[in-house]
Amino acid sequence: WLEETYMPDVRKMDSSATSKLCETLGKNELSRITFIESWIEHLKPIKALYFDITSISSYSTNISFIEWGYNRDKENLAQLNIAMVYCEGKKLPICYLLYPGSIVDAITLKNSQRYLNNFGLKDFLFVMDRGFFSTANILEMNNNKINFIQPLSFSLKKTKELIKEHKHELKHLNSAFSYNDEILNHIKSSVCFDDYNFDAHLFYNEKAEMDVRHNFLVKIFEIEKKLNNRKFINLKDWIKYKNNNIIEKDRNFFKWNKSTGKVEKNIRNIN
């Protein structure tokens, strides 16, 4: 970051100096806490916080935080979890937090809330990406009175039902509005998890839908073109071929025809 940023009177650091700084930061927790206190005062008022967690895999056996847990990189290694808290208003990070690799997201979020509360931050909103979604996380945040905005997973049955229920309203002129030169549609509804009702906001972008539809069909036709001159003697051969040549999320868009030995588009799944 420093190499790509113009800052007069700031000495550039080589990799050796950077490593030395990281070592100093790692050893001096009191100085870090003192800095975060001053930094939060500087950034106030703080209303919304972006929150994300990543994992760093490691072979180390000497670091107590390296533990087995859900590995986001799908690596067969123990890991350390890092949470980043980012201030929406000022577009600047507030702090990072380290957690043992075995701690699940819901507990990490609760601990992060307590940490921020200790610095006087109490009335704020967490904004998280779709990768953070799970019913357990939703309920944990609700139980701990954490305000949050959380995208629902499109694979969730509740999400599909919401979209189906409001499909026509979302394309109606009454739900349309302009934002950053884009025309969007918005409907407010509700969704229930374990007898708790949450506000659900549905947004629709017609232009984006057309672009996604176009790109999706281009991909389908490209795969179909490669399959046009191929025949498979049996289902086992087709399964072997598709597992080696078609990415997993696209495999169900094609099916083997036993009578012709050829592969066809699975219209139902594509629709």
Side-chain angles (χ1 to χ4, degrees):
W1 176 85
L2 199 56
E3 286 175 354
E4 297 174 356
T5 307
Y6 174 70
M7 293 184 70
D9 305 321
V10 174
R11 184 172 63 86
K12 302 294 182 182
M13 293 196 300
D14 58 19
S15 60
S16 175
T18 305
S19 296
K20 188 69 179 174
L21 173 64
C22 288
E23 183 184 0
T24 304
L25 289 172
K27 288 179 175 177
N28 200 336
E29 185 176 6
L30 183 60
S31 291
R32 287 204 311 274
I33 291 172
T34 302
F35 170 79
I36 292 170
E37 284 178 336
S38 300
W39 185 235
I40 286 174
E41 284 302 316
H42 174 71
L43 294 176
K44 284 182 178 178
I46 296 169
K47 293 297 182 185
L49 302 173
Y50 291 116
F51 182 88
D52 198 13
I53 298 172
T54 191
S55 304
I56 297 178
S57 301
S58 177
Y59 290 98
S60 175
T61 56
N62 298 320
I63 303 172
S64 60
F65 272 38
I66 303 296
E67 295 180 349
W68 291 95
Y70 169 66
N71 193 300
R72 291 162 180 79
D73 297 321
K74 311 299 181 189
E75 295 174 327
N76 188 27
L77 287 169
Q79 64 187 19
L80 142 73
N81 289 329
I82 297 182
M84 172 65 81
V85 185
Y86 181 87
C87 178
E88 186 272 339
K90 302 290 174 43
K91 305 290 189 288
L92 289 167
I94 288 182
C95 63
Y96 68 90
L97 304 164
L98 303 181
Y99 294 102
S102 63
I103 290 185
V104 296
D105 288 352
I107 297 172
T108 302
L109 189 64
K110 185 165 66 175
N111 290 339
S112 299
Q113 183 201 28
R114 287 174 180 163
Y115 186 83
L116 294 167
N117 287 165
N118 288 336
F119 290 106
L121 289 178
K122 299 188 186 297
D123 181 24
F124 57 81
L125 172 83
F126 273 130
V127 182
M128 291 157 292
D129 63 18
R130 186 170 283 108
F132 199 84
F133 174 80
S134 74
T135 301
N137 284 347
I138 293 283
L139 294 173
E140 187 70 30
M141 288 187 285
N142 183 63
N143 291 338
N144 287 279
K145 295 182 171 53
I146 296 174
N147 295 318
F148 65 94
I149 295 176
Q150 166 69 68
L152 289 172
S153 169
F154 279 107
S155 62
L156 197 70
K157 184 181 177 182
K158 292 177 189 290
T159 309
K160 292 174 182 176
E161 289 172 350
L162 273 172
I163 293 170
K164 187 176 180 180
E165 180 184 350
H166 297 288
K167 191 172 182 179
H168 296 296
E169 292 173 83
L170 276 170
K171 295 187 178 182
H172 198 280
L173 184 61
N174 287 342
S175 65
F177 68 100
S178 175
Y179 178 76
N180 283 355
D181 298 326
E182 291 274 345
I183 302 301
L184 302 173
N185 293 67
H186 167 252
I187 293 290
K188 183 180 177 182
S189 184
S190 65
V191 62
C192 184
F193 292 97
D194 281 13
D195 298 327
Y196 291 102
N197 279 318
F198 297 86
D199 290 337
H201 297 270
L202 289 84
F203 294 89
Y204 169 65
N205 184 329
E206 185 177 21
K207 181 174 175 287
E209 183 189 31
M210 291 172 66
D211 290 341
V212 171
R213 178 184 173 86
H214 173 82
N215 293 334
F216 172 71
L217 290 177
V218 165
K219 177 179 64 176
I220 293 297
F221 293 142
E222 283 177 354
I223 298 171
E224 184 183 42
K225 188 177 179 181
K226 292 176 183 177
L227 292 167
N228 273 343
N229 299 320
R230 289 186 174 273
K231 279 192 175 183
F232 298 92
I233 299 169
N234 53 49
L235 181 62
K236 186 179 177 181
D237 284 351
W238 157 238
I239 291 172
K240 183 179 178 181
Y241 175 86
K242 74 175 181 179
N243 287 348
N244 290 328
N245 296 277
I246 302 174
I247 61 174
E248 187 176 356
K249 66 187 181 71
D250 294 336
R251 290 170 194 164
N252 288 332
F253 299 133
F254 298 90
K255 61 182 179 180
W256 178 65
N257 186 320
K258 187 177 180 180
S259 59
T260 64
K262 288 196 166 189
V263 174
E264 305 166 349
K265 290 193 293 293
N266 188 326
I267 302 300
R268 181 181 175 183
N269 286 355
I270 289 172
N271 284 335

